[in-house]
Amino acid sequence: MTSHVLSQLRSLEAESIHIIREVVAEMQRPVLLFSGGKDSIVMLHLAAKAFAPARIPFPIMHVDTGLNFQTVLDCRDRWVERLGIQLVVASVPDAIDRGLVQEEPNGSRNRIQTPVLLEAMEKNGFDAAFGGGRRDEEKARAKERVFSFRDDFGQWDPKNQRPEIWSLYNGRVHQGESIRVFPLSNWTELDIWSYIAAEDIDLPDLYLAQEREVVDRGGMLFAVNEFTPLKDGETSEVRSVRYRTVGDANLTAAVASEAATLHEIVEEIAAVRITERGATRGDDKVSEAAMEDRKREGYF
């Protein structure tokens, strides 16, 4: 007798595809926010499945801080060419040159991404933006609804969110308002890696362990590169490391690992007890509420 019970992964896949189709049906001009990391790549893979054999009926947008790993940009461009989709680039360096934003003293461009994102949303008339956030990543993201309402200024109020009982989503917005949509809300990091392995999804090679030159800063291993040069008095070492998350090259740390294949990564993630952002993101250590502060200001 044939079983019609979906596996955990196929159930999550079906839910995400339903959410993506629902947004396309309800909203005027959606866009998928694409960082080049594993979550946004899985989201793009799901969007391609949702509308196959047709093309994805919305563009993707990359908020380019100018501090990206080159391998991430290369992977982004491969996906754009493979799927034949429109790429919108919102450039932080251009925004700095135009005077829209100013460099932060600490070298982080996380906070100044927000005005660049909001400007691009308004300029292109986007009323819904898919984001790859998951509830298990970080406590501010755990508060988000699947359809996350933003006011006229792109701001989020965690105390004023719409109920989503029985997975019924409310996409009604007034003039100037918009929503952020998180099709991967119910996925965990292990689900993401299990799905990537099952579907053999193309990723930046940063995610696979290999020997890299790193420097230890406060217990976090940063790859030495053009964005993260050695400081006076520091010494580097060569270790087998990989990345669990991808952000700006000057703020994202690697983890010690021997996992050089997708299936080895799945085994590794099944055993870890610290979240990927806690293990690798120096930008989240600015304050206990760093992520929530940025989301309130309009960060996705």
Side-chain angles (χ1 to χ4, degrees):
M1 180 176 179
T2 303
S3 172
H4 296 285
V5 177
L6 292 178
S7 68
Q8 164 76 359
L9 280 185
R10 295 307 165 193
S11 178
L12 288 169
E13 178 189 62
E15 179 187 60
S16 298
I17 287 175
H18 165 71
I19 291 167
I20 293 169
R21 289 173 175 163
E22 184 75 10
V23 170
V24 170
E26 287 194 46
M27 308 305 291
Q28 296 296 316
R29 187 160 165 73
V31 65
L32 188 150
L33 300 176
F34 189 81
S35 68
K38 64 184 186 306
D39 299 305
S40 57
I41 288 175
V42 166
M43 203 164 48
L44 188 55
H45 179 83
L46 291 166
K49 277 197 167 187
F51 303 102
R55 289 185 179 181
I56 296 172
F58 45 78
I60 67 171
M61 181 164 71
H62 181 210
V63 180
D64 184 354
T65 63
L67 301 174
N68 300 283
F69 293 99
Q70 185 58 48
T71 184
V72 172
L73 298 178
D74 293 343
C75 188
R76 176 199 70 184
D77 294 342
R78 287 198 303 273
W79 276 93
V80 168
E81 182 177 1
R82 184 182 305 138
L83 297 178
I85 49 178
Q86 180 190 357
L87 169 65
V88 177
V89 176
S91 171
V92 173
D94 285 350
I96 293 172
D97 292 342
R98 291 188 285 111
L100 175 66
V101 293
Q102 294 182 330
E103 292 273 19
E104 296 279 302
N106 61 7
S108 169
R109 291 181 175 173
N110 273 337
R111 187 171 290 276
I112 62 177
Q113 286 184 63
T114 300
V116 180
L117 167 67
L118 296 178
E119 181 189 57
M121 290 281 294
E122 182 175 3
K123 178 181 176 182
N124 289 278
F126 297 133
D127 58 356
F130 295 103
R134 309 186 321 269
R135 291 194 176 105
D136 76 324
E137 281 184 84
E138 195 273 340
K139 56 190 176 185
R141 289 188 166 172
K143 298 178 183 177
E144 288 268 22
R145 297 289 194 266
V146 174
F147 278 32
S148 189
F149 178 75
R150 296 296 195 271
D151 67 15
D152 297 31
F153 303 100
Q155 297 173 333
W156 175 61
D157 180 359
K159 296 181 180 178
N160 181 25
Q161 301 193 75
R162 297 171 175 178
E164 294 181 335
I165 302 171
W166 302 320
S167 298
L168 295 175
Y169 308 115
N170 184 348
R172 294 177 183 172
V173 295
H174 299 293
Q175 185 73 30
E177 297 173 341
S178 61
I179 58 171
R180 307 290 184 266
V181 185
F182 300 99
L184 306 180
S185 285
N186 293 329
W187 296 56
T188 65
E189 184 185 11
L190 182 58
D191 294 327
I192 292 290
W193 279 113
S194 298
Y195 188 72
I196 289 169
E199 299 279 305
D200 194 22
I201 295 175
D202 177 27
L203 292 178
D205 60 7
L206 286 173
Y207 286 112
L208 304 178
Q210 61 179 262
E211 299 281 317
R212 295 183 170 95
E213 182 185 5
V214 296
V215 57
D216 188 329
R217 290 178 179 166
M220 303 180 85
L221 300 175
F222 290 89
V224 178
N225 54 44
E226 61 179 310
F227 303 114
T228 317
L230 288 176
K231 299 176 182 177
D232 290 342
E234 286 184 331
T235 57
S236 64
E237 57 184 323
V238 175
R239 295 183 59 176
S240 178
V241 299
R242 70 174 195 87
Y243 287 78
R244 287 178 64 185
T245 182
V246 170
D248 282 351
N250 63 334
L251 292 173
T252 308
V255 295
S257 172
E258 301 290 338
T261 68
L262 295 178
H263 291 287
E264 288 173 348
I265 292 173
V266 171
E267 292 177 1
E268 180 181 271
I269 295 300
V272 297
R273 290 295 178 268
I274 183 170
T275 67
E276 62 198 272
R277 297 193 72 93
T280 66
R281 297 298 288 267
D283 44 328
D284 285 349
K285 298 185 181 301
V286 176
S287 75
E288 282 291 315
M291 174 63 79
E292 182 162 329
D293 289 343
R294 293 206 302 273
K295 291 177 80 69
R296 284 175 180 270
E297 293 168 358
Y299 184 72
F300 60 90

